[in-house]
Amino acid sequence: MALVQLDLPAPMALRGRWAALAAVRAAAGSGERCRALGALWHYDDGHGSWADLHHLDEGRAVLLGQDRNDSETYYAEAADFFEEKETDLLAGAPDWWERPVRRARDEELFLGFVYGFDGSVWQRAEYELDDGFASVRLPALSDERTREGVLALASHTGASYTAEAGLSGPSEESVDALIAADAEVDPALVAAVVPSGWDTQAGSAAAHAFLEGRPCGGEARG
């Protein structure tokens, strides 16, 4: 069965955005929801929907996850649990997609989508159902989404802001600078975005973790 080609950014094009959101979340004390663990980049919305990006060797990657409410594709254990017809998310896929999938299944995570990047294009198995990926709204897919996520998080507080961030919340320019740093984030870049009193050192460290990835078969989130 032929695979379906997807129009998604290359994995490394996601790094600056993913790292920017991770920096703000870590500074806020909720870094577990958006972080890099070696070659695994994790995002979840706090309500059961999530996406993990596993970097493999030779520039390959696997992006997998589930939207808790909108994934209509049920794979393996999920099909049995929900008593739904199974969608084979690995139909026609090369063997290297299986390693991150096996890790997710070992962690008892249900899967709604599995996408593979072979070094040049993203692909998925062929099916007509809504797999929920769009509903997850992974912020790292675009600067605009990342900016929205950072601004929403940094502004949802009664704490006072630093002089750099202003009195009414961070500027778009400061958020864009955080993204453009491409994970080379220092505490000053974080301080320009987050309220005074947030942990800018933790934010910087969380961003730098995205520079430390190595090929993997799908590490546990820990």
Side-chain angles (χ1 to χ4, degrees):
M1 184 177 293
L3 295 172
V4 176
Q5 187 167 326
L6 302 170
D7 183 17
L8 294 174
M12 295 312 296
L14 305 175
R15 184 172 64 181
R17 303 167 190 150
W18 213 313
L21 185 60
V24 177
R25 284 222 165 272
S30 58
E32 71 284 350
R33 288 175 49 186
C34 183
R35 56 180 172 165
L37 299 165
L40 187 160
W41 297 354
H42 172 69
Y43 168 79
D44 72 69
D45 67 358
H47 301 286
S49 300
W50 61 279
D52 281 353
L53 176 62
H54 294 263
H55 294 272
L56 307 178
D57 56 4
E58 301 178 6
R60 300 180 300 188
V62 171
L63 176 65
L64 46 73
Q66 182 198 43
D67 184 275
R68 181 180 180 181
N69 298 313
D70 292 339
S71 290
E72 298 174 355
T73 44
Y74 298 90
Y75 177 69
E77 295 83 1
D80 294 334
F81 183 85
F82 292 104
E83 298 183 344
E84 295 282 354
K85 182 179 179 181
E86 180 178 6
T87 299
D88 186 356
L89 300 179
L90 297 182
D95 292 343
W96 53 268
W97 288 30
E98 170 64 25
R99 289 176 286 165
V101 169
R102 174 55 60 184
R103 170 62 69 179
R105 293 176 66 185
D106 287 346
E107 295 179 8
E108 300 182 350
L109 298 171
F110 292 151
L111 293 171
F113 55 86
V114 179
Y115 300 163
F117 183 79
D118 64 5
S120 58
V121 297
W122 284 102
Q123 295 175 301
R124 65 161 174 83
E126 186 175 0
Y127 47 80
E128 299 299 326
L129 298 169
D130 182 355
D131 62 17
F133 175 71
S135 300
V136 172
R137 289 192 56 79
L138 181 64
L141 291 181
S142 71
D143 284 356
E144 181 180 6
R145 282 192 184 183
T146 303
R147 190 183 303 117
E148 289 175 357
V150 169
L151 289 171
L153 180 63
S155 300
H156 188 62
T157 176
S160 60
Y161 276 82
T162 61
E164 291 85 352
L167 297 177
S168 60
S171 66
E172 289 191 3
E173 291 76 13
S174 65
V175 178
D176 289 345
L178 192 66
I179 295 170
D182 195 20
E184 292 278 5
V185 172
D186 60 30
L189 282 172
V190 182
V193 172
V194 303
S196 177
W198 284 24
D199 191 342
T200 59
Q201 292 288 347
S204 175
H208 275 262
F210 286 80
L211 302 171
E212 301 168 3
R214 58 194 181 281
C216 70
E219 286 95 331
R221 297 180 195 172

